[in-house]
Amino acid sequence: MVNPAGYDHLQRQLIPGYGSLARLGVALLAVSPLAEAPGAEVLVAGCGTGAELQEAVAQRPDWRLTAIDPSEAMLDEARSRLEGAGASIHWRQSTAEALADDPGCQGRFAGALSVLVLQSLPDDGSKLGFLTALARSLQPGGQLVLVDLMQPSLPSLQEQLTAAWLAFQRASGLQASDADLAPFTHGLHPVGLARLTSLVNAAGFGDPARIFQALGYEGFLLQRRG
């Protein structure tokens, strides 16, 4: 079980560039063809403790936000952080798949953000189901910012990348126990770029455009096909 109170601090020590991911994702979406419009509706899928929401409120206070997460504890933490922000946020304990089954949410959003969610889903249809749900929730032409752990394009680099990741964690002062780290480092299901491209195309998006990379973590901009 992830402790929401220490989530962001631990992620900053684990993931290179984590402190900039929310700011970058919101900045990209804010100038996208549909979400740049005043009062655009934007979905934050897997909102966690609210990092992307805080950035969205700071950069685009006019956005009408929908924040979903399957974890009640995460939603409670995010609500607490955004309390008093004066933002228009609709909170919903839900998965992306359940949201997309709601007729009122199909084709509703001008843009969406999904940070460190896809990596936790096995590639047994779950990844495709998640991406398809996000595509169904977006308007045609709507964009998705997707950030996740990826498999290296050159398997021969895996050992070096792993060693560099551990060195980064030590330099960041990481002192968490294996039990504390387990939800962040175990049970992940990264895929390579070729597989991701196949999945997003099948879900209804165009080819992914890479917009961020730090060791094994990569960010992509996807656009729902018309």
Side-chain angles (χ1 to χ4, degrees):
M1 179 69 68
V2 176
N3 177 11
Y7 177 85
D8 290 300
H9 177 68
L10 196 54
Q11 291 286 51
R12 280 192 290 271
Q13 294 178 313
L14 279 171
I15 300 175
Y18 178 78
S20 300
L21 287 181
R23 185 164 299 165
L24 173 63
V26 171
L28 280 163
L29 207 57
V31 293
S32 66
L34 299 184
E36 70 175 353
E41 289 204 64
V42 171
L43 171 66
V44 180
C47 69
T49 56
E52 291 80 43
L53 294 167
Q54 288 178 303
E55 274 298 331
V57 170
Q59 294 187 38
R60 290 295 302 267
D62 60 296
W63 273 353
R64 291 174 291 161
L65 300 165
T66 294
I68 66 170
D69 202 287
S71 167
E72 184 178 359
M74 286 292 191
L75 283 174
D76 287 344
E77 179 71 16
R79 282 195 195 97
S80 176
R81 291 187 181 193
L82 273 297
E83 187 176 5
S88 174
I89 303 177
H90 174 62
W91 303 94
R92 186 161 173 170
Q93 186 177 358
S94 175
T95 63
E97 293 86 345
L99 186 78
D101 285 338
D102 181 345
C105 293
Q106 294 170 9
R108 173 177 172 179
F109 299 99
L113 295 137
S114 171
V115 177
L116 306 177
V117 178
L118 189 69
Q119 64 188 30
S120 65
L121 303 175
D123 193 10
D124 58 0
S126 300
K127 288 185 186 296
L128 179 58
F130 175 74
L131 290 167
T132 300
L134 292 179
R136 290 174 62 204
S137 298
L138 286 169
Q139 301 170 22
Q143 292 187 348
L144 164 67
V145 175
L146 182 76
V147 181
D148 279 287
L149 179 66
M150 297 284 289
Q151 288 179 350
S153 56
L154 293 175
S156 60
L157 290 177
Q158 181 64 65
E159 185 175 346
Q160 184 177 355
L161 288 174
T162 300
W165 190 29
L166 293 172
F168 170 84
Q169 294 168 16
R170 288 195 298 272
S172 299
L174 183 65
Q175 297 180 339
S177 67
D178 289 343
D180 290 334
L181 293 177
F184 301 92
T185 58
H186 298 171
L188 301 181
H189 307 275
V191 295
L193 180 58
R195 178 56 179 159
L196 178 66
T197 302
S198 176
L199 287 167
V200 300
N201 289 167
F205 292 101
D207 288 347
R210 184 185 287 111
I211 45 85
F212 171 88
Q213 183 170 7
L215 295 179
Y217 291 89
E218 300 184 37
F220 299 93
L221 193 61
L222 312 175
Q223 183 162 309
R224 180 186 167 181
R225 293 193 295 267

